[in-house]
Structures are given as structure tokens and as C-alpha cells.
Amino acid sequence: MGFSDHFISGCISSVHYSILVNGAVRCQVNLTRGIRQGDPFSLALFVLCSQALSNILNSAAGNNGIQGIKVKRRAPPLSHLLFADDCLLFSEVKLNELQNLKDYVNLYCRASGQCINMAKSSMCFSPNTASRIKRWFSIIFKIPYGDGPSKYLGLPSEIGVNKVDLFHSINDKASAKMHGWSKALLSYVGHETLIKSMIQPSQNYVANHFKLPQALHNRSRKDIAHFFWGSSEESRKVHWLSWSKLSQSKENGGLGLRDPATHNKALLSKVA
């Protein structure tokens, strides 16, 4: 990457730390095992090593060593995704492509000194892959195959047709919080504050990545309206204003409650 030898020998090879006692340097410790794990510079080195792995895989994709996958027919092929210390590798179910992928990963491991944690790794296949192919490829790579983690970074890793069952836990958590707060003696102002500060922001993370179904938005409106007016399973209170009025800004006579569907579109538009 064009770094000078002075940078490599001065910042990476020779590592030493000074011990301060009452604000004064008392002794110096020279390390022989390289940079420790908590060193701030180790994070930058890890990113540089990950860039090297990315370059290897991009070069392999350019030389047709790895085909990768396409999320759409006209989209460019995707060979890998990196986030922090996690790596997702994509390839077609072909023996030569899997062998090339294994060689590239071994090359990176020999160059960087890192190793793959087989216990935390998993192989995932498309639904139409035969079971014997799955077992065969798992033996070659020495990694167990399965469905993989159901969630990654708090979001579902596989999205099916029915999104209502997939994201219903968001409304369940919000409903559980509001059910616990409903027993407290809170005014309308207290209900409004809890809705704006606790309930509605709880959906921001998921709404930043997915267009949630309309059924979830309808249930969210219903639960928030019941909580605001003090309704419960035992007693129903009169809703003196409609949701369209509550969701208007305070300048226009409303309470400024965010509409879930409109807020979801705004967050996705921001990402786009």
C-alpha cells in the first residue's frame, strides 16, 4: 500500500510502553509479542489486513476464480461482505470455485497470521441444494453447515414472504412496556413523553433497514393510541381525537406523534 520501511519498523515491529507513577515516567517495557489487543493502533492494522483480504477476493472475482452471487440479474456479482471481524463469503455451488475460495483464504491466513475460528463459522446453502452436496462441501472446508444465525447485528439474516411474523417481536416489546406503565398514575403529558422518548424510537433501528409491513404500523398506531388515552384490556377509554389529529405537529393543533409508516419511509429515504 506504499508505506515506508520507517513506518513499518517504527510503528509495528518495535512496541514499548511507559509506566507512569505519580505522573512521572519510571520505567519502560519493551514487548516481544507485538501490539497488544487493546492497543488503539491494532484496530487500524486489522482494517488494513481486511483490505488485503478484500483485494484478494476482488482480484479472484476479476479473474473468474470466484463467481459470487447476484442479488439482481443486472447487478454486479457479490463475492464478500466485511463488518468488523465478521466476514461473509459468497460463491456458487461448484467444486473448483470452493477450492479456489479455500486457497485464497489460506493465502490470507498465512500472510496475516490470523486463523479461522471453525467453531463460530457456518456454511449456508440455497434451499434447492441437495443434502449430499451440503455434506460434501462441509467436509472439504471442514466447516459445519446449517441455517446459520437467525439474527445478525440485531436484524434477521433471512427475510421470507411473511414479514409480519418476522418483526412482530418489535410490537410485542413495545406493548409489554406500555402495559407496565399503564398501571402507574401518569398524566397525558407523561404518556406523551414516554411515547416520544421510549416507544417510537425503539423501531428506528429496524425501520432504517427494512420497509415494515402495514399491519405492523396499524398495530403500532392502535397500541400507542390505547396507551395515550389510558385504555386497557379491563377498561376502554374514549379516544377524543383521531390518530390523524394526534400525528399532526403541535403548530397545527396536534401532539407531534410520529406516524410509524411515514417515519419508516423517511428513514429509508435517508439511507437511499
Side-chain angles (χ1 to χ4, degrees):
M1 295 184 176
F3 293 105
S4 64
D5 295 335
H6 176 72
F7 171 81
I8 298 174
S9 61
C11 296
I12 301 177
S13 301
S14 58
V15 183
H16 62 270
Y17 297 98
S18 300
I19 298 178
L20 300 179
V21 179
N22 296 329
V25 179
R26 296 301 181 184
C27 61
Q28 192 176 41
V29 179
N30 296 322
L31 304 184
T32 59
R33 302 298 296 271
I35 297 176
R36 64 184 178 90
Q37 184 176 0
D39 193 296
F41 192 66
S42 62
L43 302 178
L45 287 178
F46 187 84
V47 172
L48 293 177
C49 292
S50 301
Q51 182 63 32
L53 175 62
S54 182
N55 292 339
I56 292 175
L57 297 176
N58 288 333
S59 177
N63 298 329
N64 295 326
I66 300 176
Q67 297 295 331
I69 62 172
K70 291 184 177 181
V71 295
K72 295 181 69 176
R73 181 170 298 178
R74 297 183 179 180
L78 188 66
S79 60
H80 65 285
L81 289 175
L82 302 175
F83 182 82
D85 59 344
D86 294 332
C87 180
L88 305 178
L89 305 178
F90 305 99
S91 70
E92 294 184 350
V93 188
K94 296 180 180 178
L95 182 60
N96 60 336
E97 190 163 335
L98 182 68
Q99 189 61 47
N100 292 336
L101 186 63
K102 183 178 180 181
D103 294 339
Y104 295 135
V105 172
N106 291 335
L107 173 63
Y108 169 75
C109 292
R110 292 195 305 269
S112 63
Q114 299 179 6
C115 296
I116 301 177
N117 192 339
M118 300 299 181
K120 295 183 179 180
S121 302
S122 177
M123 300 183 70
C124 301
F125 296 87
S126 58
N128 58 350
T129 306
S131 299
R132 59 182 182 86
I133 301 296
K134 296 180 181 180
R135 292 193 298 268
W136 188 21
F137 278 43
S138 177
I139 293 174
I140 295 175
F141 227 107
K142 298 181 180 179
I143 294 178
Y145 68 93
D147 297 332
S150 59
K151 286 189 175 182
Y152 181 67
L153 301 177
L155 298 174
S157 57
E158 295 185 4
I159 306 298
V161 178
N162 192 353
K163 293 183 180 180
V164 177
D165 295 338
L166 194 63
F167 295 108
H168 72 89
S169 60
I170 302 174
N171 286 343
D172 291 341
K173 293 179 181 179
S175 298
K177 289 182 179 180
M178 289 185 287
H179 180 70
W181 293 334
S182 61
K183 298 179 181 179
L185 298 177
L186 298 175
S187 63
Y188 288 125
V189 178
H191 288 178
E192 177 189 350
T193 303
L194 289 175
I195 291 172
K196 291 182 178 180
S197 62
M198 298 294 293
I199 299 301
Q200 292 188 327
S202 63
Q203 299 182 0
N204 289 352
Y205 182 62
V206 178
N208 258 305
H209 299 82
F210 297 101
K211 184 179 181 181
L212 300 178
Q214 191 64 34
L216 294 179
H217 296 319
N218 294 335
R219 182 188 168 187
S220 180
R221 296 189 191 100
K222 181 180 178 181
D223 293 342
I224 292 175
H226 284 326
F227 173 70
F228 179 77
W229 296 110
S231 298
S232 61
E233 296 180 356
E234 295 80 11
S235 62
R236 296 288 182 179
K237 299 294 182 66
V238 178
H239 294 198
W240 296 104
L241 291 175
S242 63
W243 176 259
S244 60
K245 190 67 175 178
L246 293 176
S247 59
Q248 290 183 3
S249 62
K250 291 189 175 181
E251 290 80 3
N252 296 327
L255 290 179
L257 300 181
R258 293 176 177 175
D259 183 70
T262 307
H263 188 57
N264 189 191
K265 292 181 180 179
L267 292 175
L268 293 178
S269 302
K270 180 182 177 182
V271 175

